[in-house]
Amino acid sequence: MSASIRVLVVDDEEEIRLNTAAFLAYFDFDVISASSGEQAMQILADERVDVGIIDMRMPGMDGNTVILNAHRLQPEMKFLILTGSINYLMPEALKRMGMTDDHLFKKPLLDMKVLVRAINRFVSPREMDADE
Amino acid sequence: MTRTLELQQQINDLKKQLAVNEKIRMALMDRVERSIDSAGNAYSLFESNILLQEQVRSRTETLEKVNAELHREIEERKRIEKDLKRHKEELENRVTIRTAELSKSEERYRLLVETMNDGLCVLDRDGKVTYCNPRLSEMLGYPLTDMHGCQIRDFFDETNREIIEDQLAQRRKGLHAVYEIEWITQHGRKIPARMSPRPIHDDQDNFKGSFAVVTDITERKLAEAALADEKEKLAAALAEMGRMRLYLNNVIDSMPSVLVGVDRNGCVTHWNRQAQAMTGIAADKACGNPLPPIFAELKLQLDEVRASIRQRTAAKMEKVAHLVDGETHFADITIYPLVTNGAEGAVIRVDDVTARVRIEDMMVQTEKMLSVGGLAAGMAHEINNPLSGILQSIQNIELRLRPDHPRNRAAAQALGVDMGVLGTYLEDRRIPQFMRAIRDAATRASVIVGNMLNFTRKFESTMAPTSLADLLDATIELAAHDYDLKKKYDFKNIEIVKAVSPDVPKVACCRSEIEQVVLNLLRNAAHAMTDYTVDGQPPRIDLGLAKEDRTVRLAVRDNGPGMAPAVRKRIFEPFFTTKDVGIGTGLGLSVSYYIITQHHGGTMTVESEPGKGACIIIRLPVRGRDA
């Protein structure tokens, strides 16, 4: 089982946060969610997370900062960016962490399974869930 | 006088004889009286008395005649003497008057000579001054007395001395002509003078000397010099003016504008090369005649020209539409009244602004696209998030209704619901259909936002030399598979004819983008021909590829219904569509237009008339946008 992969969904928009979390949960990921960067930081201070799915444009702490701070707290953690911005350019700091356009997903996702595949690819190929 | 004395003597002799005769007669008479008494010799005595009387009478007659003649002669003499005396007196009188007159005239000449404004000098035969008038002395600055007796040549410098010597030589020959010379004054100043000379001869015609009137022509010379200077300046000014005129004419002729000069009656006074080019009327044919009819087509009424001249205000008409060879052209017309030097008239300037108007239209077009782009960029995030909510929700609903997933089954079981029955219920109520509708609608909205974002996309894609002929083939291939029942067209039914000139070079472009454009055009053409073709012919698309200067021209022509001018003008506008709702987004052509004009620096135009098909023409610079 892939229950050991813990995913943190960070998005200020409730419907997206809810749907993303629900969809991933359906595929047996251990999903927790946060409605802001600050809340995400509180969670990460106490709990280990394998992968974060991070929205960019949020009130307060923005997605890039969340990733940088989270990376400092848990250097093993992976990140996927899910943004509605059309002109998002990945900062050099994130690229230095090894992130590429493969980690970048634009809203709206016509099929959320791309997230499932990405998580499995970046985090835990061993524990790929074959369920479709 | 002798004759008179002689006559006097004769007269006296006769008188003495007469007295003697009388005495004789008396004695005879006495004797006769006495004889009568003695009657003897009476008759003889009578006879002798008569004879004697006859003699005396004849003699007296002669004497009286002589005496009368004498008297007449004496009278004649006296008259002659009187005449002589009168003549003499008259003569003496005249001499007196003449003498008085002469002395008066001499006085007058002297006065004239001494007060005249010109100098006068008299020379003897050796050129020595015998007389000069005060004016000459004043002119030369020498006292009169110093000048008398001087050699005339001493009043000249070397050059002029030659002249004076020559002149004196001429005078000796009796020649005289006015000449000019320069005198030197006592103070060394030069005085130019005009000399009017005459030789003087004595009674025997021997050369005695000469005189000359000397006119100071300093002022005239100065005036002449000034005049010459003026003339030179004038000539230079004229030459400059000529050059300027030529230059101005060149400028006027080189102007890209039509420039026409008219007088107040609207007759042409100037006609530049551009006017010639526009009207095809030569300048010499146009000048002097009323404005040709082509100006009426420009809606340029003579009244407006006159009003402009009268009010002395420029009048301007912009973007005046008129037909040239059946095509609409635009002109800016300005009337400038001429108010200089009372020359009433006007200059009419006509600029063909067709190209500018078209560019402006294009700019408006581009601006619209950019504003759509800007709008899209600003709104995309706001729209994408709710779209995300919709699309992600529908995905979750679909997932959670699936009957085969253990979690779904478990959840249903816990509630006593049979998944199979639930599935049947949903199908029965057509729930999946509604969910698909939600998904499709949201997906379409997402595609529209994506298309709008095309207008903001920064194209960093590399431009590579591409064979457009190959590209056309590939795109036709692509289109052949693109058939859509819903959109009612099928490329299998459309004849596609390709005409490629052999000299078409490769074009620096982004292949995928041009493919997108061509595919879009093929789809549009196919769609247009579903309901109508020209003369009911089979639907057909003509693709043309040709080299044109530094561009390659790609034409896509269909034989569909074409379009009205109102539609034609707007087809590149974002969101403008003639297709039914739900079939076109109204962005296809405008995105194509954006790709061609903004990303490739090309042009995209349309030619169409209602009922006669349509042709989209794309021109791409061979060397890419920035070449």
Side-chain angles (χ1 to χ4, degrees):
Chain A
M1 288 294 281
S2 59
S4 59
I5 295 182
R6 175 168 270 191
V7 180
L8 172 62
V9 175
V10 186
D11 201 313
D12 61 315
E13 302 242 2
E14 193 186 355
E15 15 347 336
I16 296 170
R17 189 173 69 243
L18 209 67
N19 271 297
T20 309
F23 191 89
L24 293 175
Y26 188 89
F27 287 92
D28 294 329
F29 292 110
D30 178 10
V31 184
I32 44 177
S33 58
S35 62
S36 71
E38 289 79 1
Q39 197 189 348
M41 285 304 119
Q42 284 174 10
I43 294 168
L44 289 171
D46 301 330
E47 296 187 44
R48 191 192 59 83
V49 172
D50 295 305
V51 61
I53 295 179
I54 316 292
D55 181 28
M56 278 296 127
R57 274 168 52 161
M58 292 182 290
M61 194 185 292
D62 74 346
N64 287 326
T65 314
V66 172
I67 293 173
L68 288 171
N69 289 341
H71 180 66
R72 229 170 278 136
L73 287 173
Q74 302 188 20
E76 296 302 313
M77 189 178 169
K78 306 294 179 195
F79 303 93
L80 299 179
I81 293 167
L82 183 59
T83 179
S85 295
I86 47 113
N87 42 13
Y88 173 75
L89 284 175
M90 195 178 285
E92 284 303 312
L94 299 199
K95 287 182 183 167
R96 277 198 295 276
M97 288 164 51
M99 291 181 71
T100 66
D101 280 355
D102 288 346
H103 297 80
L104 179 62
F105 298 89
K106 296 261 170 114
K107 296 177 187 172
L109 282 175
L110 298 182
D111 186 347
M112 283 187 284
K113 279 185 197 143
V114 292
L115 290 180
V116 177
R117 290 191 201 105
I119 293 168
N120 287 331
R121 175 180 159 199
F122 291 120
V123 179
S124 180
R126 298 167 278 113
E127 298 172 70
M128 271 253 291
D129 193 325
D131 192 321
E132 280 287 323
Chain B
M1 196 58 79
T2 32
R3 177 107 176 103
T4 313
L5 291 172
E6 209 177 320
L7 285 170
Q8 204 72 49
Q9 193 60 50
Q10 274 179 10
I11 291 167
N12 289 340
D13 290 350
L14 283 168
K15 274 177 183 173
K16 273 175 207 161
Q17 217 173 336
L18 213 57
V20 172
N21 281 354
E22 193 58 34
K23 264 176 213 165
I24 296 166
R25 198 185 58 100
M26 291 302 273
L28 279 171
M29 280 300 275
D30 195 47
R31 255 167 65 189
V32 166
E33 276 167 17
R34 264 175 296 148
S35 313
I36 293 168
D37 290 343
S38 58
N41 296 330
Y43 184 69
S44 62
L45 269 171
F46 181 68
E47 258 189 350
S48 26
N49 190 27
I50 285 182
L51 194 73
L52 201 68
Q53 274 187 353
E54 187 58 31
Q55 275 186 341
V56 168
R57 196 193 53 86
S58 166
R59 196 70 189 225
T60 307
E61 219 169 69
T62 310
L63 279 172
E64 276 176 352
K65 231 185 199 165
V66 171
N67 196 22
E69 202 166 320
L70 210 74
H71 266 282
R72 219 172 35 243
E73 252 181 74
I74 289 167
E75 282 305 307
E76 180 67 20
R77 205 84 209 158
K78 278 186 184 165
R79 199 180 56 78
I80 288 173
E81 265 173 36
K82 211 165 134 193
D83 270 7
L84 274 170
K85 192 183 168 199
R86 208 185 69 233
H87 272 290
K88 193 194 157 209
E89 275 174 4
E90 209 169 295
L91 220 72
E92 280 173 351
N93 213 8
R94 270 198 214 168
V95 168
T96 316
I97 291 168
R98 190 82 185 129
T99 310
E101 268 179 5
L102 274 172
S103 63
K104 218 182 211 173
S105 165
E106 196 174 307
E107 173 69 14
R108 270 211 300 272
Y109 279 123
R110 200 182 55 80
L111 205 65
L112 186 65
V113 162
E114 290 191 351
T115 60
M116 69 190 221
N117 197 36
D118 288 330
L120 178 77
C121 72
V122 184
L123 307 178
D124 66 9
R125 53 182 302 143
D126 301 320
K128 205 182 279 178
V129 177
T130 56
Y131 171 80
C132 69
N133 71 344
R135 172 67 183 124
L136 188 63
S137 126
E138 180 199 333
M139 253 160 69
L140 299 176
Y142 295 103
L144 264 179
T145 44
D146 288 7
M147 291 181 72
H148 287 145
C150 285
Q151 263 297 335
I152 190 71
R153 62 178 66 86
D154 295 342
F155 294 97
F156 300 96
D157 67 7
E158 220 162 290
T159 321
N160 288 283
R161 201 169 293 150
E162 275 176 34
I163 297 175
I164 198 76
E165 301 280 13
D166 178 54
Q167 286 292 331
L168 290 176
Q170 288 193 35
R171 225 59 75 232
R172 278 191 283 277
K173 289 179 201 161
L175 299 172
H176 57 89
V178 174
Y179 65 99
E180 284 180 9
I181 200 164
E182 262 181 8
W183 297 73
I184 301 286
T185 67
Q186 190 182 15
H187 307 293
R189 196 163 62 85
K190 287 183 175 179
I191 292 195
R194 189 182 62 232
M195 308 289 284
S196 309
R198 280 284 191 289
I200 304 169
H201 296 94
D202 65 12
D203 296 350
Q204 275 75 46
D205 220 19
N206 295 315
F207 179 70
K208 231 180 87 182
S210 62
F211 72 90
V213 175
V214 184
T215 310
D216 182 351
I217 54 171
T218 307
E219 277 178 25
R220 203 195 77 195
K221 281 281 172 192
L222 283 175
E224 270 176 11
L227 195 70
D229 199 41
E230 280 298 304
K231 265 186 183 169
E232 206 170 292
K233 278 184 194 160
L234 199 69
L238 274 173
E240 179 61 31
M241 239 168 89
R243 271 197 300 277
M244 205 62 205
R245 196 189 173 85
L246 203 68
Y247 177 70
L248 282 178
N249 272 338
N250 267 335
V251 169
I252 289 170
D253 272 346
S254 311
M255 293 286 268
S257 305
V258 169
L259 292 174
V260 174
V262 292
D263 64 16
R264 56 187 303 178
N265 298 317
C267 277
V268 174
T269 57
H270 202 102
W271 192 260
N272 77 343
R273 205 173 293 158
Q274 207 57 34
Q276 211 163 310
M278 183 187 80
T279 60
I281 299 170
D284 55 341
K285 291 264 178 7
C287 287
N289 290 318
L291 273 180
I294 184 164
F295 283 91
E297 279 171 39
L298 292 173
K299 298 167 189 75
L300 186 66
Q301 301 302 321
L302 208 51
D303 287 348
E304 290 177 51
V305 178
R306 290 205 181 105
S308 173
I309 294 172
R310 202 169 48 244
Q311 292 157 14
R312 300 193 165 184
T313 48
K316 185 155 191 174
M317 289 163 279
E318 284 182 332
K319 294 186 199 171
V320 178
H322 57 111
L323 287 177
V324 175
D325 300 331
E327 211 184 334
T328 305
H329 278 225
F330 299 92
D332 278 0
I333 301 170
T334 318
I335 305 167
Y336 298 100
L338 291 177
V339 289
T340 34
N341 300 335
E344 281 208 332
V347 172
I348 300 168
R349 173 179 154 191
V350 182
D351 291 301
D352 189 340
V353 292
T354 309
R356 197 192 77 205
V357 169
R358 284 182 185 156
I359 287 169
E360 277 171 5
D361 285 353
M362 229 193 305
M363 299 276 282
V364 168
Q365 174 62 32
T366 305
E367 212 163 291
K368 275 183 188 165
M369 292 187 309
L370 292 178
S371 68
V372 167
L375 196 66
M379 285 174 59
H381 183 258
E382 307 311 317
I383 292 174
N384 279 339
N385 272 329
L387 277 180
S388 247
I390 295 168
L391 282 167
Q392 287 182 268
S393 293
I394 202 76
Q395 288 173 54
N396 274 325
I397 292 169
E398 283 170 347
L399 271 185
R400 290 180 186 214
L401 287 175
R402 279 169 67 163
D404 53 348
H405 198 279
R407 285 198 186 181
N408 293 349
R409 274 205 302 274
Q413 213 167 10
L415 294 168
V417 176
D418 179 71
M419 282 303 281
V421 175
L422 179 64
T424 313
Y425 169 81
L426 292 175
E427 287 297 332
D428 196 47
R429 300 306 293 155
R430 299 190 301 164
I431 300 300
Q433 199 181 330
F434 291 126
M435 291 195 303
R436 248 195 327 274
I438 293 172
R439 183 195 270 273
D440 286 352
T443 304
R444 205 166 73 228
S446 159
V447 169
I448 290 172
V449 171
N451 274 335
M452 283 164 67
L453 290 174
N454 275 334
F455 292 121
T456 60
R457 222 157 70 195
K458 293 276 184 292
F459 277 73
E460 288 159 47
S461 46
T462 47
M463 303 269 176
T466 306
S467 160
L468 291 187
D470 292 351
L471 185 147
L472 283 185
D473 288 338
T475 313
I476 292 167
E477 183 80 8
L478 206 63
H481 301 292
D482 177 69
Y483 101 105
D484 187 329
L485 279 176
K486 190 176 169 190
K487 291 176 186 171
K488 289 190 247 167
Y489 64 81
D490 187 347
F491 271 92
K492 282 175 195 143
N493 299 330
I494 298 171
E495 189 188 356
I496 295 179
V497 180
K498 207 173 61 146
V500 179
S501 305
D503 61 340
V504 175
K506 286 187 175 183
V507 172
C509 65
C510 172
R511 188 183 175 107
S512 61
E513 284 174 28
I514 302 300
E515 268 178 3
Q516 183 189 338
V517 170
V518 175
L519 186 62
N520 196 271
L521 295 180
L522 291 175
R523 279 178 181 159
N524 278 341
H527 186 262
M529 292 184 293
T530 50
D531 296 328
Y532 176 98
T533 53
V534 177
D535 300 329
Q537 297 161 347
R540 165 178 168 152
I541 294 172
D542 281 288
L543 295 168
L545 205 54
K547 184 174 185 289
E548 244 185 24
D549 201 12
R550 289 181 189 173
T551 63
V552 167
R553 178 183 190 271
L554 166 64
V556 180
R557 179 184 298 278
D558 66 50
N559 63 345
M563 58 195 97
V567 173
R568 194 182 65 215
K569 274 185 190 166
R570 297 188 60 195
I571 59 160
F572 297 132
E573 267 181 39
F575 299 115
F576 180 81
T577 180
T578 57
K579 296 171 188 166
D580 293 337
V581 174
I583 293 194
T585 60
L587 286 169
L589 266 180
S590 57
V591 168
S592 298
Y593 185 88
Y594 190 76
I595 288 170
I596 297 298
T597 60
Q598 298 300 302
H599 301 160
H600 289 84
T603 64
M604 186 166 175
T605 55
V606 59
E607 286 175 2
S608 180
E609 272 181 66
K612 293 186 181 172
C615 184
I616 303 280
I617 298 159
I618 291 167
R619 289 184 177 86
L620 289 172
V622 172
R623 301 175 72 186
R625 187 175 62 186
D626 299 319

